[in-house]
Amino acid sequence: MNIAAIQMVSNTDISTNLKQAEQLLKQAVSESARICVLPEYFAQMGKPEEMLSIAEPIGQGKLQDFLANQAAKHGIYLVGGSIPLRSTVPQKLLASCLVFNPQGLKIGHYNKIHLFDVSIPEKNEHYEESATFEKGHQITTIQTPFANIGIGICYDIRFPEQFREMTAIEILAIPAAFTQTTGQAHWEVLLRARAIENQVYVIAANQGGKHNNGQETYGNSLIINGWGTVLNRREKGQGIVISNYDPVALQQLRKNFPVLTHR
């Protein structure tokens, strides 16, 4: 079975982004992908006020319909990057990753727990996601016939405790919009560490280029196996990252090198 990370260079126009996502999913499915992961902010890389304007109530809306329809159309498990959903806190959003099965039914909902509030003075960069988003509080794992999947979004990968709380998973799906600055310093090493310490495949779908809101993201979407080997990557620009998922090899690794038992 093949698995896929979808790398995009989303802008502020939702229609353009959805067309891009649709084309890339079609391409991934043509290469036999059965589990596909979209990047964070796939539908819009916008300013806070723009995201507030497109936020949907949980359970209905254009973006949620798009994800459900794409999963059903292609008969895939679709990890839907992140979309802005309405929060109970006024003027705040939830950064939500929704997962759909091949029938187009939602089978998982994760709200980003760790919010990106950091400054990099030497690069004149400042981020404050908590000004726009309400943090999530619960980890999320999804059962599928192929593998059990744990979900994290972008900044979450810096917090290994989150993934240690997940039990009986074989794949980590990580939608992201990792910046160019932090990505070139930390992206791959963090993802490989999460793969190695948890003995899981990692599907990391990143944004990958210069966006019309002024941001630049690192790209380098990756698929990594449980030994920490990078199986495939895409450095920059929109495209797909495809690799085979081998559950037999993963279980043999866990038998030969039983770090999960030794915990």
Side-chain angles (χ1 to χ4, degrees):
M1 182 196 72
N2 282 347
I3 53 181
I6 308 299
Q7 182 164 292
M8 297 176 61
V9 187
S10 299
N11 59 35
T12 54
D13 183 69
I14 294 175
S15 296
T16 301
N17 297 332
L18 295 187
K19 287 178 182 177
Q20 181 186 158
E22 185 173 12
Q23 292 169 354
L24 293 171
L25 287 169
K26 182 179 180 180
Q27 183 182 347
V29 171
S30 74
E31 298 189 32
S32 302
R34 301 298 302 278
I35 299 173
C36 297
V37 182
L38 287 165
E40 187 179 23
Y41 301 132
F42 79 92
Q44 186 189 63
M45 284 282 288
K47 297 178 180 179
E49 58 268 23
E50 292 172 316
M51 287 187 281
L52 282 164
S53 71
I54 68 164
E56 299 178 350
I58 296 172
Q60 63 183 53
K62 177 180 180 178
L63 303 182
Q64 293 168 86
D65 289 346
F66 171 82
L67 293 170
N69 291 339
Q70 288 297 306
K73 177 181 178 180
H74 296 300
I76 58 173
Y77 286 89
L78 180 57
V79 180
S82 77
I83 61 173
L85 295 183
R86 293 177 190 169
S87 165
T88 56
V89 179
Q91 297 302 302
K92 288 284 184 79
L93 306 173
L94 296 169
S96 298
C97 178
L98 308 182
V99 184
F100 293 84
N101 70 12
Q103 291 73 46
L105 300 175
K106 188 178 79 171
I107 58 171
H109 183 155
Y110 169 69
N111 296 322
K112 186 177 183 179
I113 291 174
H114 299 95
L115 300 179
F116 193 51
D117 289 2
V118 304
S119 293
I120 309 170
E122 59 272 24
K123 295 289 186 177
N124 196 30
E125 295 181 28
H126 176 76
Y127 305 91
E128 191 179 1
E129 282 190 330
S130 65
T132 305
F133 294 98
E134 177 189 0
K135 66 176 243 176
H137 298 279
Q138 294 185 325
I139 63 170
T140 297
T141 61
I142 310 297
Q143 293 184 339
T144 80
F146 305 113
N148 294 334
I149 303 171
I151 309 294
I153 298 177
C154 201
Y155 191 49
D156 285 331
I157 67 171
R158 294 181 182 273
F159 303 92
E161 301 88 349
Q162 176 170 337
F163 304 102
R164 280 301 202 193
E165 289 187 24
M166 299 176 181
T167 58
I169 60 168
E170 291 82 35
I171 292 175
L172 284 178
I174 309 292
F178 235 73
T179 71
Q180 177 66 24
T181 301
T182 58
Q184 63 187 357
H186 301 144
W187 170 251
E188 183 174 327
V189 69
L190 287 168
L191 290 167
R192 292 182 68 192
R194 300 296 83 81
I196 293 165
E197 68 201 8
N198 296 293
Q199 294 184 314
V200 293
Y201 277 71
V202 171
I203 311 172
N206 200 18
Q207 294 278 352
K210 293 184 178 180
H211 307 269
N212 66 356
N213 68 348
Q215 289 182 258
E216 183 177 2
T217 46
Y218 181 60
N220 282 275
S221 295
L222 301 171
I223 295 179
I224 306 167
N225 70 12
W227 188 247
T229 302
V230 175
L231 302 177
N232 202 355
R233 80 166 71 227
R234 182 178 184 87
E235 291 188 1
K236 286 288 186 178
Q238 70 176 50
I240 63 171
V241 182
I242 293 277
S243 185
N244 181 254
Y245 167 69
D246 188 344
V248 176
L250 185 64
Q251 293 308 315
Q252 189 63 49
L253 168 64
R254 290 178 170 187
K255 180 179 179 181
N256 295 342
F257 212 86
V259 296
L260 299 179
T261 302
H262 290 161
R263 286 177 60 204

